Amino acid sequence: MQGFSSKRKTLVRLNKKHHLLSLLSGPKTILNLTHAQQHRYFNTNNHDGINVVPKHGFNLICAVDTKQDNNVTNDDTTTNNNHEFATDVEKLYRILRRFHSRVPKLELALQESGVVLGPGLTERVLNRCGDAGNLGYRFFVWASKQPDYSHSYDVYKAMIKSLSKMRQFGAVWALLEEMRKENHEFISPELFVVLIRRFASTRMVKKAVEVLEEMPKYGCEPDEYVFGCLLDALCKNGSVKDAAKLFEEMRDRFKPTLRHFTSLLYGWCREGKLMEAKYVLVQMREAGFEPDIVVYNNLLSGYAKEGRMADAFDLLKEMRRKGCDPNANSYTVLIQALCGMEKMEEAMRVFVEMGRSGCEADIVTYTALISGFCNTKLGDVGYACEVFAKIPSKELAVWNAMITGCVENRFEDIGIVLFREMHLLGVRHDKYSLASVLSVCYEELMDFGRQVHSLVIKTGFLVRSSVVNSLITMYFNCGKVVDAHTVFEEAERFVYDQITYNVMIDGLVCIGRVEEALVMFKEMLEADLRPTELTFVSLMSSCSDSRMGYQIHAKVIQTGFESCTSVSNATMTMFSSCGDLDATQRTFERMEEKDLVSWNTMISSYGQGNFGESAVLTFMEMQMAGIDPDAFTFGSLLASLEFIETMQMIHTLVLTNGLISNIHISNALVSAYSKHGKLEEAYQIFYGLSSRNLISWNTIISGFLLNGCPVQGLEQFSRLMISELKPNAYTLSIALSISASISSLRHGKQINGYILRHGFFSETSIGNALITMYAKCGVLDWSLRVFNQMMYKDTVSWNALISAYAQHGKGKEAVCCFEAMKDAGSINLDQATFTAVLSACSHAGLVNDGTQIFNSMVKDYRFKPRDDHFSCMVDLLDRAGYLDEAKSVIYSEEIEAHSSVWWTLFSACAAHGNVSLGRMVADFLLETEQNDPSVYVLLSNLYATAGQWEEAASTREVLKKIGVMKQPGCSWIGP
């Protein structure tokens, strides 16, 4: 019972409605009881009841007042409790599942099964096949070939039901023809009623009526019963208008019975057409029939469904006046409706009145109350426990409702206690109770989850898809990927459904195993299971490979999910992560219905592509469409803005809508102002925050670093350290970067000490920042020590060490480190790696090594050289005096050299006294960087160094004429 006391305040947070407790007698709450007391509290004399009743519904009753059979589960495919053939049925069913696509092997396996075939067994096998009618049909065909065997009427009827479910209506008519030839006595109205009901369920009204016309050909005349079944089927399946027309036609041939009127009234009530239902009531009375309890209950259900509870209570009073006392179903209908409307106080009053009237509440009533209390916004699990305690005979459905209610309201510990109590009391579990508790088993409940897994195996529920799916989910939640795979592989193939594959795909995607998820998707298609919305959302939200992404998108279009908003949102996310902004935009424009996620994804995609103007325009369209932005919208928008004026406009909009108190939006504003160099505005927003989270501190600290104010950044870091919040790895990385930028070894060591004391050294990002910090503070040995002690080294780690060697002029060591990085195998070299090692070669004058590495980058690694690579190569050749080679690099067709590369060559010309090349480079720089005084000064110095005094003097005169002058140098070191 650990954890109950911590939640007691929540559960008894009912002072405003404390008078409800007076409606119940007995213990005040289960939460106050010891474990031993709970055992007595939950004690019951009958545990045979079974199954789940829907949480909400209106209990519409058609024609007759029936009571749900609580001895049969929803999944049972046979209604006979005699288990004589159970073993043989399961044996044959497994054979059918295993060999259904290989007919010769299937027939051989059935022949060798050793099962004695008989009509009773055949019927049960067909029923066991359920919706998998193709299995049943193959068994039916095989059985018909066996000697000394002939199908019975029940077998034919079961086969007709199966074929009708598969909509194989041509095969049904062919089978009826075969029956007529085999034994004419087999033809009965019931067989045609099966067809009628199936046609009606698929809204094929004309086909259903045609069955009536075909019946005389088989020697059966449609009578009142058949017409009644058709009327009943049409009303149950939403074709009440067609049912009304049929009813008028039927009145010309037969006198309607009470059943016919009741069916039609039920249909109108089901559709919420209460005026039409009342008219049927008038016709019923004109025909000499007085409404019975079934009719009144249907009207009650109709009122309840429409939320007209005042009319429902008035009808209840009318029933009493007419001498038709309400029964348990009458009260249950009202209780279900009130629970669905979360009017639990009124529901309890009806419940008390129900008891006073002498009507005994049944499992449906209690389940509705428990679910109602658990499903209200308050989550009154305490009241649900009160109701649960007063149930005289607790059947499986109420246990399931109670356990599910606790789980859904995050009282998992109570749900688990109830599950254990249920087990101790001998109430046999079903797939619902098992799935509920498995869904809350995370890492801390791993042992309990394994115990439930053992129970699943022992009780044989591994053949239930929902239980297998819950087991797989549990193991993924606990990080036990191997166990999840084992459950999946050990389950029988026929158990797999769409959810099974979805659970596997989603679990693999969440742990980054996208390729395995795609393989699972392929297996799902091979198993002839149609992907669902969740399948595509899971796959595409994690796919960053454009080639694979286009294939998945093609499957989306093929299966008709392109119009689904959530799938389209995932498609946009996928294309955006693949860098295909055009495809993202096309998907967005084709969407029929756009929700908030759609607009956010489009704005975010524009932001990632640095299309700030498009992001703003999309935001304006979003407002015109009436979609209210959220924190993510403003965060994405602020991150993409190019102009400070636009950002200030968004800031004003945030203030106007009263969203500045949202910490996520405030953090985004601080980040946006920092990126635009407006530190004062950024700090003003940060300072005005009533409560700051760690992201707030990280944003302002990195803002100071970004804008060249490292000292102020360290001050904010110090304030964070004395606050209630504690830095994370990202915070410490920023602080180390600040220490590196001002070469403050003292601060860097202090931060390193904090890292070691609080166990952050295992973070790879921290190790990378330490390597850089020590290198920039002049302690190369400590950089190497940190690198060697790191548990996991990524590409950035190696790049940081190579850069450290480069900064200290250790070119040979940098090249050796580069070679070791290549030999590591698991590390991917990127363009920053080559920049670092080429820079090291440049500083050390390693022309041959640098040239080889540059060529390897282009030829072996297929990287297109960037400006920084060419700059390093030009600098390398310049330092070695290979100015002509450097010139040829700049003039190569592969690049359009940046001005920094030209400046490197210009400086080399001045250092080596190459006047002709220097004049050429100066002309280029003066065209691209007009009136830059540094060009004139350096060119004048070049002329002077070469003894060309007249050219030097004329260059100085030009500098004076254009009216510019070189800015004097300065130092941050004081005198």
Side-chain angles (χ1 to χ4, degrees):
M1 297 300 292
Q2 184 180 1
F4 281 2
S5 58
S6 63
K7 296 180 180 178
R8 180 181 176 185
K9 292 182 180 179
T10 305
L11 288 177
V12 297
R13 187 180 53 201
L14 305 166
N15 293 331
K16 294 182 180 179
K17 299 186 288 182
H18 67 278
H19 56 282
L20 271 177
L21 292 174
S22 63
L23 300 175
L24 294 165
S25 59
K28 289 193 174 181
T29 173
I30 180 180
L31 306 182
N32 297 329
L33 303 182
T34 64
H35 184 77
Q37 288 171 328
Q38 284 181 47
H39 185 84
R40 294 192 297 272
Y41 188 69
F42 290 130
N43 196 20
T44 178
N45 297 321
N46 181 13
H47 308 300
D48 297 328
I50 197 168
N51 200 12
V52 173
V53 175
K55 293 180 181 178
H56 297 298
F58 300 98
N59 215 25
L60 290 169
I61 307 162
C62 185
V64 291
D65 184 11
T66 59
K67 184 175 181 180
Q68 181 176 352
D69 183 3
N70 292 321
N71 294 322
V72 184
T73 66
N74 290 344
D75 291 316
D76 288 340
T77 52
T78 175
T79 57
N80 196 329
N81 290 326
N82 186 352
H83 298 288
E84 179 184 354
F85 298 110
T87 304
D88 289 343
V89 169
E90 285 302 318
K91 184 177 183 180
L92 293 171
Y93 181 67
R94 289 173 184 272
I95 292 173
L96 288 166
R97 273 289 187 181
R98 184 176 181 183
F99 300 106
H100 71 279
S101 59
R102 292 166 288 179
V103 176
K105 287 189 176 181
L106 172 63
E107 293 186 349
L108 181 61
L110 290 171
Q111 203 71 41
E112 295 176 350
S113 64
V115 175
V116 179
L117 192 62
L121 178 62
T122 304
E123 180 191 357
R124 285 166 175 75
V125 172
L126 293 178
N127 289 331
R128 178 67 180 90
C129 291
D131 292 336
N134 57 331
L135 300 183
Y137 182 71
R138 285 187 176 151
F139 184 76
F140 178 85
V141 172
W142 173 79
S144 62
K145 299 177 183 178
Q146 304 310 304
D148 300 326
Y149 171 84
S150 60
H151 294 310
S152 67
Y153 169 79
D154 290 331
V155 171
Y156 278 115
K157 184 178 178 181
M159 194 65 247
I160 287 175
K161 284 184 178 180
S162 180
L163 291 172
S164 297
K165 285 184 180 180
M166 296 169 60
R167 300 190 184 185
Q168 299 293 329
F169 299 117
V172 172
W173 289 115
L175 191 58
L176 285 169
E177 190 65 29
E178 179 185 328
M179 291 172 64
R180 183 169 63 174
K181 294 177 180 178
E182 186 76 21
N183 190 340
H184 185 73
E185 294 180 357
F186 279 172
I187 304 295
S188 72
E190 287 186 7
L191 301 179
F192 295 98
V193 168
V194 171
L195 262 178
I196 287 171
R197 286 173 175 163
R198 181 51 53 184
F199 279 129
S201 68
T202 55
R203 303 289 182 91
M204 300 171 71
V205 178
K206 290 184 179 179
K207 292 288 186 182
V209 175
E210 286 176 5
V211 174
L212 296 179
E213 299 172 357
E214 291 291 326
M215 286 180 65
K217 298 179 182 179
Y218 293 86
C220 289
E221 287 294 332
D223 55 10
E224 297 175 10
Y225 168 74
V226 176
F227 271 101
C229 289
L230 177 56
L231 187 69
D232 183 62
L234 293 174
C235 291
K236 283 183 176 179
N237 293 285
S239 300
V240 65
K241 291 183 179 179
D242 296 305
K245 292 179 182 178
L246 179 69
F247 180 77
E248 293 302 324
E249 294 175 6
M250 185 185 70
R251 296 183 73 172
D252 297 334
R253 302 176 62 177
F254 307 105
K255 181 181 178 181
T257 64
L258 179 61
R259 174 188 172 88
H260 297 140
F261 282 110
T262 304
S263 295
L264 189 58
L265 184 138
Y266 161 82
W268 288 122
C269 289
R270 186 178 184 273
E271 294 293 315
K273 305 291 186 179
L274 297 177
M275 291 297 295
E276 289 82 351
K278 288 183 177 180
Y279 178 68
V280 174
L281 186 63
V282 171
Q283 289 181 310
M284 182 189 300
R285 283 174 172 153
E286 290 176 351
F289 298 109
E290 278 299 318
D292 59 6
I293 188 65
V294 178
V295 173
Y296 278 119
N297 283 350
N298 278 325
L299 283 172
L300 279 174
S301 300
Y303 283 128
K305 184 176 181 181
E306 294 299 307
R308 294 168 56 177
M309 299 310 299
D311 292 329
F313 284 114
D314 288 342
L315 181 62
L316 204 66
K317 295 175 183 177
E318 181 185 333
M319 290 170 65
R320 294 193 183 100
R321 287 198 306 269
K322 296 287 187 180
C324 184
D325 292 331
N327 63 5
N329 282 330
S330 311
Y331 291 107
T332 300
V333 164
L334 297 176
I335 290 171
Q336 283 184 305
L338 291 168
C339 290
M341 299 165 68
E342 297 187 354
K343 295 182 178 180
M344 298 309 300
E345 186 174 345
E346 293 182 39
M348 287 303 300
R349 288 199 183 100
V350 175
F351 178 69
V352 172
E353 184 182 348
M354 179 181 182
R356 290 171 181 169
S357 69
C359 295
E360 184 179 350
D362 61 7
I363 186 174
V364 180
T365 315
Y366 286 119
T367 304
L369 284 171
I370 291 172
S371 299
F373 279 122
C374 291
N375 291 337
T376 56
K377 293 178 181 178
L378 293 175
D380 296 328
V381 176
Y383 282 144
C385 290
E386 297 284 353
V387 174
F388 182 78
K390 304 308 296 180
I391 301 175
S393 177
K394 299 178 181 68
E395 298 185 8
L396 181 59
V398 292
W399 285 97
N400 285 346
M402 195 67 230
I403 292 171
T404 303
C406 291
V407 168
E408 289 178 350
N409 285 278
R410 298 186 178 180
F411 290 93
E412 296 90 351
D413 46 359
I414 303 178
I416 290 172
V417 167
L418 289 169
F419 180 85
R420 285 173 169 161
E421 200 71 34
M422 175 184 179
H423 184 68
L424 290 173
L425 293 172
V427 181
R428 66 187 182 96
H429 305 289
D430 68 352
K431 66 176 185 177
Y432 298 101
S433 53
L434 292 168
S436 293
V437 293
L438 286 170
S439 65
V440 299
C441 291
Y442 287 84
E443 194 166 358
E444 59 272 14
L445 291 171
M446 186 72 247
D447 291 339
F448 174 73
R450 290 193 185 279
Q451 291 175 13
V452 177
H453 188 178
S454 300
L455 183 63
V456 167
I457 296 172
K458 181 180 178 181
T459 53
F461 275 101
L462 268 181
V463 297
R464 300 299 186 196
S465 301
S466 59
V467 177
V468 172
N469 300 342
S470 298
L471 278 170
I472 295 171
T473 302
M474 178 194 74
Y475 283 121
F476 272 123
N477 290 340
C478 297
K480 304 294 183 181
V481 183
V482 175
D483 291 328
H485 268 286
T486 302
V487 172
F488 178 79
E489 291 168 0
E490 288 182 352
E492 296 286 350
R493 290 287 169 182
F494 67 83
V495 175
Y496 297 165
D497 60 7
Q498 294 163 310
I499 299 175
T500 312
Y501 282 97
N502 284 348
V503 167
M504 286 297 297
I505 290 169
D506 189 59
L508 291 168
V509 164
C510 289
I511 60 174
R513 298 188 180 182
V514 181
E515 291 184 2
E516 292 181 41
L518 290 170
V519 171
M520 194 61 62
F521 176 63
K522 183 180 178 182
E523 290 182 12
M524 180 181 186
L525 297 177
E526 291 173 350
D528 292 329
L529 289 173
R530 188 173 185 266
T532 66
E533 179 180 330
L534 179 61
T535 314
F536 290 115
V537 170
S538 298
L539 283 173
M540 292 195 293
S541 60
S542 63
C543 182
S544 57
D545 180 80
S546 57
R547 177 175 164 273
M548 186 59 65
Y550 284 118
Q551 292 181 11
I552 298 174
H553 188 223
K555 197 66 182 177
V556 167
I557 298 171
Q558 181 184 348
T559 50
F561 279 102
E562 192 177 20
S563 60
C564 181
T565 302
S566 60
V567 175
S568 294
N569 292 342
T571 304
M572 291 169 62
T573 302
M574 177 190 69
F575 284 136
S576 179
S577 63
C578 294
D580 193 342
L581 187 59
D582 291 336
T584 306
Q585 188 175 4
R586 285 196 302 272
T587 304
F588 179 75
E589 291 173 351
R590 290 173 182 171
M591 290 179 67
E592 297 176 4
E593 295 183 8
K594 303 179 179 72
D595 60 8
L596 179 61
V597 177
S598 314
W599 291 97
N600 283 349
T601 305
M602 195 67 247
I603 292 171
S604 175
S605 299
Y606 280 131
Q608 293 171 12
N610 295 320
F611 293 98
E613 186 177 350
S614 299
V616 173
L617 290 174
T618 304
F619 175 74
M620 294 172 66
E621 291 178 18
M622 174 183 176
Q623 288 193 305
M624 292 174 63
I627 304 295
D628 294 327
D630 63 356
F632 185 84
T633 314
F634 285 108
S636 302
L637 192 62
L638 289 167
S640 66
L641 297 179
E642 303 170 8
F643 304 105
I644 186 67
E645 294 81 10
T646 312
M647 192 185 69
Q648 290 170 341
M649 180 187 72
I650 299 299
H651 187 183
T652 304
L653 185 62
V654 169
L655 291 170
T656 304
N657 292 321
L659 297 173
I660 195 64
S661 60
N662 187 304
I663 193 169
H664 302 292
I665 296 177
S666 297
N667 292 342
L669 281 168
V670 173
S671 177
Y673 275 117
S674 298
K675 288 178 181 178
H676 285 82
K678 299 292 183 179
L679 268 180
E680 185 177 347
E681 289 84 348
Y683 187 74
Q684 185 177 358
I685 296 171
F686 172 79
Y687 186 77
L689 289 173
S690 57
S691 62
R692 305 181 183 111
N693 59 15
L694 190 55
I695 298 174
S696 311
W697 287 98
N698 289 348
T699 304
I700 195 65
I701 294 170
S702 61
F704 280 118
L705 174 62
L706 180 67
N707 288 277
C709 302
V711 177
Q712 290 88 335
L714 277 179
E715 289 176 0
Q716 295 303 320
F717 177 72
S718 300
R719 291 177 184 175
L720 168 63
M721 295 297 290
I722 61 175
S723 71
E724 295 179 355
L725 297 172
K726 298 302 176 186
N728 60 8
Y730 179 69
T731 319
L732 296 169
S733 298
I734 301 171
L736 289 170
S737 298
I738 293 175
S739 301
S741 67
I742 58 176
S743 300
S744 176
L745 184 60
R746 179 172 63 88
H747 287 107
K749 284 183 175 180
Q750 290 175 0
I751 297 168
N752 193 1
Y754 181 89
I755 289 168
L756 293 174
R757 286 194 304 273
H758 292 83
F760 280 102
F761 188 74
S762 60
E763 296 282 346
T764 304
S765 60
I766 293 290
N768 298 341
L770 283 169
I771 294 171
T772 302
M773 185 272 294
Y774 282 124
K776 289 190 175 181
C777 291
V779 193
L780 180 61
D781 290 344
W782 287 19
S783 291
L784 185 59
R785 185 184 303 174
V786 171
F787 179 83
N788 289 332
Q789 290 178 354
M790 288 177 66
M791 296 175 61
Y792 174 75
K793 305 175 183 68
D794 60 9
T795 303
V796 179
S797 312
W798 288 90
N799 291 353
L801 186 60
I802 294 171
S803 297
Y805 281 128
Q807 292 164 16
H808 288 260
K810 304 286 187 179
K812 285 290 185 183
E813 288 81 352
V815 173
C816 290
C817 184
F818 173 75
E819 295 297 331
M821 181 180 181
K822 290 198 298 183
D823 294 339
S826 60
I827 304 298
N828 295 320
L829 281 67
D830 59 10
Q831 292 191 328
T833 309
F834 289 98
T835 300
V837 72
L838 289 173
S839 176
C841 293
S842 173
H843 294 160
L846 303 175
V847 178
N848 290 334
D849 289 331
T851 304
Q852 290 176 4
I853 291 170
F854 183 84
N855 291 333
S856 175
M857 178 186 74
V858 176
K859 295 178 181 179
D860 299 335
Y861 292 91
R862 305 291 183 182
F863 284 133
K864 184 178 180 180
R866 299 185 311 200
D867 288 333
D868 50 354
H869 301 131
F870 284 110
S871 182
C872 289
M873 285 302 300
V874 170
D875 187 50
L876 174 62
L877 295 171
D878 289 345
R879 289 172 184 264
Y882 298 109
L883 299 185
D884 291 334
E885 287 78 0
K887 174 187 172 184
S888 64
V889 170
I890 293 177
Y891 278 97
S892 62
E893 297 179 356
E894 285 80 5
I895 67 163
E896 183 178 343
H898 192 266
S899 60
S900 61
V901 180
W902 289 96
W903 272 108
T904 302
L905 182 58
F906 194 22
S907 300
C909 291
H912 291 278
N914 191 327
V915 176
S916 59
L917 182 57
R919 186 186 299 113
M920 185 188 308
V921 175
D923 290 340
F924 174 82
L925 289 173
L926 288 172
E927 288 179 8
T928 57
E929 302 179 15
Q930 295 179 359
N931 300 331
D932 187 342
S934 300
V935 179
Y936 292 102
V937 172
L938 192 57
L939 182 60
S940 175
N941 293 340
L942 176 60
Y943 283 136
T945 303
Q948 299 180 13
W949 302 106
E950 292 182 3
E951 287 80 356
S954 63
T955 303
R956 292 282 180 176
E957 286 297 324
V958 173
L959 183 62
K960 291 179 182 179
K961 286 180 181 179
I962 62 176
V964 294
M965 58 187 302
K966 184 178 182 294
Q967 294 293 327
C970 62
S971 173
W972 60 278
I973 302 175

